[in-house]
């Protein structure tokens, strides 16, 4: 791992190809040791968090080869991030160390982000990752996978990060399949412009993930069809509709394309953090395997259910054969599916009672 802060972009020589490359900031996360306000927390437990690294870790745990591209400080927090993400089996050789800028940190409560009780405090302004640019990253390493996964969070970090995301989304020979998760985070967008920029970037991707709620907040769009109409260019647009399910618009085979809705299984939720990243990882995993669109959505739901049933951002994904078996259920059995804490590990131990009617 290179220690240089302002080294030129890697030319890709000697870089092994992988299934998926993700690019973006990961931070050290601190979670209160007990429920309640951050102001009342007597101590915190350390974890890691970052949309793109979450996707990389989940894909690696599911048996794919994944590479994470980023920058971290030369501090101990940077050491921890690289070691922790690498421990999932993610290739971290393209992570650069910046001696002049710190690794990002954040503190959050464990509750649902959608509630007023949820608190998150970021210490990421001027972070090492915010200094990523076309000049220091280029496209050789990001294009070293079959899929490149990006998010709108990276574009919000700094003008140079925004230019980098634009550069990687631009059509050019050798560009892999590019996945883009809108991940609208209004507090990160200083000076506004978020709605326009995110729509522009999403239009340049091959696969787009967007929540119906964030499309409504950012673009004033109501309903999955309106979102697809606003994003005609991407090959596949996946609209996540929370506990109801997800709708995918796909024109991989040409023509007008197809519309597929898959309801989400019922889940006994522990925490909502990380579910969107897990959904993207499940969908991309199934895409890499050439599975039909319905099964890609079902694998997304199953990965999200694994994340929803643990308190942190990352969960043990279901074994591939187990996920395939669940994804192949008929409509009635899929509708009866209910998943609770520990469902992935119980299945590994031979407990086959995850399909049940409450």
């Amino acid at each position: 791992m290179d220690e240089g802060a302002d080294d030129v972009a890697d030319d890709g020589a000697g870089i092994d190809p992988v299934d998926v490359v993700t690019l973006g900031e990961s931070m050290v996360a601190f979670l209160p040791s007990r429920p309640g306000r951050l102001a009342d927390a007597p101590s915190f437990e350390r974890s890691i968090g970052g949309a793109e690294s979450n996707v990389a870790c989940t894909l690696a745990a599911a048996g794919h080869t994944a590479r994470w591209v980023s920058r971290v400080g030369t501090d101990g927090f940077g050491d921890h991030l690289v070691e922790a993400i690498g421990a999932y089996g993610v290739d971290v050789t393209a992570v650069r160390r910046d001696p002049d800028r710190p690794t990002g940190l954040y503190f959050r409560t464990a509750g649902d982000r959608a509630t007023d009780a949820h608190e998150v405090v970021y210490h990421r302004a001027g972070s090492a990752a915010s200094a990523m640019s076309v000049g220091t990253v280029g496209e050789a390493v990001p294009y070293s996978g079959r899929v490149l996964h990006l998010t709108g969070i990276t574009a919000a970090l700094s003008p140079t990060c925004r230019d980098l995301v634009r550069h990687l989304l631009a059509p050019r020979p050798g560009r892999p399949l590019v996945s883009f998760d809108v991940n609208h985070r209004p507090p990160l967008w200083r000076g506004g412009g978020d709605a326009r920029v995110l729509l522009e970037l999403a239009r340049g991707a091959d696969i787009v993930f967007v929540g119906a709620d964030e499309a409504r907040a950012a673009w004033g769009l109501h309903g999955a069809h309106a979102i697809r109409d606003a994003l005609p260019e991407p090959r596949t647009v996946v609209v996540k509709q929370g506990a109801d399910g997800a709708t995918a618009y796909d024109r991989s085979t040409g023509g007008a394309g197809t519309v597929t809705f898959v309801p989400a299984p019922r889940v006994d939720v522990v925490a909502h953090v990380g579910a969107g990243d897990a959904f993207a990882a499940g969908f991309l995993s199934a895409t890499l395997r050439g599975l039909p669109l319905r099964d890609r959505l079902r694998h997304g739901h199953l990965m999200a259910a694994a994340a929803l049933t643990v308190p942190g951002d990352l969960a043990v994904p279901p074994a591939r054969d187990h996920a395939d078996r669940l994804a192949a259920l008929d409509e009635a059995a899929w509708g009866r599916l209910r998943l609770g804490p520990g469902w992935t590990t119980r299945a590994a131990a031979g407990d086959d009672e995850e399909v049940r009617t409450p």
Side-chain angles (χ1 to χ4, degrees):
M1 191 166 45
D2 196 333
E3 298 288 336
D6 295 311
D7 47 316
V8 296
D10 198 319
D11 63 6
I15 297 291
D16 294 329
V18 293
D19 291 331
V20 178
V21 175
T22 71
L23 181 148
E25 181 172 37
S26 189
M27 295 171 289
V28 175
F30 291 93
L31 282 67
S33 55
R34 69 183 188 193
R37 303 185 311 158
L38 289 179
D40 300 327
S43 60
F44 294 83
E45 295 184 1
R46 184 182 64 178
S47 182
I48 63 173
E52 300 84 2
S53 59
N54 286 347
V55 171
C57 289
T58 302
L59 284 166
H64 294 279
T65 53
R67 174 173 293 125
W68 173 53
V69 180
S70 190
R71 294 174 80 85
V72 298
T74 53
D75 47 46
F77 293 126
D79 294 341
H80 175 65
L81 278 177
V82 173
E83 292 166 5
I85 294 169
Y88 278 87
V90 176
D91 182 332
V92 294
T93 56
V95 179
R96 297 293 178 254
R97 306 300 295 264
D98 191 326
D100 300 318
R101 300 176 181 89
T103 302
L105 311 175
Y106 75 103
F107 297 76
R108 69 168 174 82
T109 52
D112 183 357
R113 283 194 178 107
T115 70
D116 291 338
H118 180 74
E119 296 176 77
V120 59
V121 177
Y122 290 107
H123 293 275
R124 71 195 307 179
S127 68
S130 70
M132 288 189 294
S133 67
V134 176
T136 60
V137 176
E139 68 270 350
V141 175
Y143 285 3
S144 62
R146 293 168 59 192
V147 174
L148 169 63
H149 181 69
L150 304 168
T151 82
I153 296 172
T154 304
L157 296 180
S158 69
T160 61
C161 283
R162 198 166 309 146
D163 289 344
L164 172 60
V165 175
R166 282 195 179 102
H167 178 78
L168 294 174
L169 282 164
R172 59 168 53 83
R175 195 188 94 164
L177 190 73
V178 179
S179 163
F180 182 77
D181 193 333
V182 172
N183 259 319
H184 184 221
R185 299 287 187 269
L188 296 179
W189 289 87
R190 300 183 178 185
D194 46 334
R196 174 185 56 79
V197 172
L198 289 171
L199 190 61
E200 169 206 335
L201 297 175
R203 284 174 169 165
D206 300 300
I207 300 173
V208 174
F209 299 98
V210 59
D213 55 347
E214 61 186 349
R216 185 167 54 251
W219 304 323
L221 299 174
H222 296 266
H225 289 297
I227 295 170
R228 178 49 160 171
D229 288 345
L231 294 169
E233 298 89 352
R235 181 187 311 176
T236 305
V237 174
V238 180
V239 181
K240 298 174 290 182
Q241 295 155 293
D244 292 334
T247 300
Y249 297 82
D250 187 81
R251 54 176 177 77
S252 298
T253 56
T258 60
V259 183
T260 304
F261 171 77
V262 171
R266 282 167 287 188
V267 178
D268 298 328
V269 176
V270 173
H272 287 82
V273 293
D277 303 329
F279 182 97
F283 188 94
L284 292 176
S285 172
T287 299
L288 286 163
R289 297 170 59 205
L291 300 184
L293 192 59
R294 185 205 70 168
D295 290 0
R296 297 182 205 178
L297 289 168
R298 285 189 171 188
H299 277 274
H301 285 316
L302 291 169
M303 287 289 199
L308 287 167
T309 50
V310 299
D313 286 42
L314 293 167
V316 176
R320 183 173 291 184
D321 60 348
H322 181 216
D324 284 344
R325 181 166 57 81
L326 294 181
L329 291 171
D330 62 35
E331 296 299 324
W334 178 262
R336 293 193 301 270
L337 190 61
R338 182 167 182 170
L339 305 168
W343 71 272
T344 61
T345 52
R346 282 199 306 271
D351 183 347
D352 195 29
E353 297 182 355
E354 72 281 345
V355 180
R356 52 193 170 90
T357 302

